[in-house]
Amino acid sequence: MALVIYDQGYRIQTPVDSLFRQRGVESMQQSSTTSHLPSSGEKAQRQLETEEQIQLSRERFQLPPKDRRQSPKGYDQAGREQASVSSKPQELKAAQVMSSPVLTVTTDTSLRKAWELMQAQEVYHLILIDDDERALGLLSRDDILAKGTDSPVSVTQAYHKQMVVASPSTPVSSIAASFVRYDIGAIPVIDEQDRLKGIVCRTDLLRMLINNARVESWA
């Protein structure tokens, strides 16, 4: 499944670009009042180049081919076919890098309690769920800070009802490109049965790239 939008727990057909503003678009609007900064065209071009670099560097998100094993003589043909398949690098999927289980809160949780949970677990995002454990939306650290970390109001007053969602089989390169393109910090991973399976955060992928992490550890 490609990246899709969930609205209050349900998948909708609206394209991601229709609801989530691209960073390049935002920079073009701001640049009209900041002539001393790089022009909107330059910012948009840099944004495009960054996205292209991620797509061209997909090998950074690929698992190395498995070693070819010698097959019995009677299975030479099958062995050759299997070697041909296994020799191709497999692209890293969301299920292999996501954090799971996901920290969640219910609709009756206060912002104060949600903040305490974030601080205790050292995370920046929580998923809001209903009684059936359906993912309703995303709550970030900044969302709580905007309302007040000691606020007694419900998390329903601050969370994002619409969120970009990946499936367990979504390529990590697509997730990385979305973090560059859109102003989002985390992408929940939800399977075809609408079950919350994990979450991939922008900081996780940045740390992976900066540290030049070995992707074999996710195999």
Side-chain angles (χ1 to χ4, degrees):
M1 181 182 79
L3 293 170
V4 297
I5 292 179
Y6 269 63
D7 189 343
Q8 300 188 70
Y10 293 91
R11 190 181 310 179
I12 60 177
Q13 301 300 319
T14 306
V16 177
D17 284 344
S18 299
L19 295 179
F20 289 82
R21 175 178 295 178
Q22 296 189 29
R23 294 177 185 270
V25 173
E26 183 177 1
S27 66
M28 283 189 283
Q29 293 177 345
Q30 294 175 345
S31 63
S32 61
T33 58
T34 54
S35 58
H36 61 286
L37 296 177
S39 68
S40 60
E42 292 173 343
K43 290 182 178 181
Q45 181 62 31
R46 284 204 300 267
Q47 182 74 15
L48 180 61
E49 290 173 354
T50 302
E51 294 178 18
E52 290 177 344
Q53 288 174 2
I54 288 178
Q55 293 299 326
L56 292 174
S57 301
R58 300 180 80 176
E59 65 273 9
R60 295 289 299 277
F61 301 109
Q62 289 178 339
L63 293 170
K66 297 180 180 179
D67 294 335
R68 180 176 179 178
R69 297 177 181 178
Q70 187 174 0
S71 303
K73 291 184 178 179
Y75 297 95
D76 282 349
Q77 181 62 33
R80 283 194 295 271
E81 292 176 354
Q82 183 175 356
S84 175
V85 173
S86 61
S87 62
K88 298 179 180 179
Q90 300 297 311
E91 189 165 11
L92 206 60
K93 307 296 185 182
Q96 295 167 285
V97 301
M98 68 184 184
S99 297
S100 181
V102 186
L103 290 173
T104 61
V105 291
T106 55
T107 56
D108 58 352
T109 304
S110 68
L111 289 177
R112 181 191 300 117
K113 291 294 185 182
W115 177 258
E116 291 173 355
L117 179 59
M118 283 187 179
Q119 294 296 96
Q121 299 297 324
E122 299 181 348
V123 298
Y124 286 81
H125 300 86
L126 299 172
I127 299 295
L128 187 68
I129 60 173
D130 62 13
D131 294 337
D132 296 324
E133 297 189 350
R134 178 184 291 271
L136 298 178
L138 188 67
L139 181 70
S140 72
R141 180 176 181 270
D142 290 341
D143 296 331
I144 299 179
L145 288 173
K147 296 288 186 178
T149 59
D150 200 41
S151 175
V153 304
S154 167
V155 291
T156 58
Q157 303 299 311
Y159 82 109
H160 291 274
K161 298 179 178 67
Q162 296 172 336
M163 53 185 179
V164 179
V165 168
S167 75
S169 61
T170 299
V172 174
S173 59
S174 297
I175 296 175
S178 295
F179 284 141
V180 173
R181 186 177 298 119
Y182 307 110
D183 188 19
I184 54 178
I187 293 180
V189 180
I190 296 177
D191 66 14
E192 294 296 334
Q193 287 72 47
D194 291 328
R195 295 174 300 192
L196 179 63
K197 307 300 290 186
I199 189 170
V200 180
C201 297
R202 176 186 177 90
T203 52
D204 296 333
L205 294 190
L206 286 176
R207 190 177 300 111
M208 173 183 171
L209 292 173
I210 292 173
N211 295 333
N212 196 26
R214 293 174 60 85
V215 296
E216 293 93 330
S217 60
W218 282 282

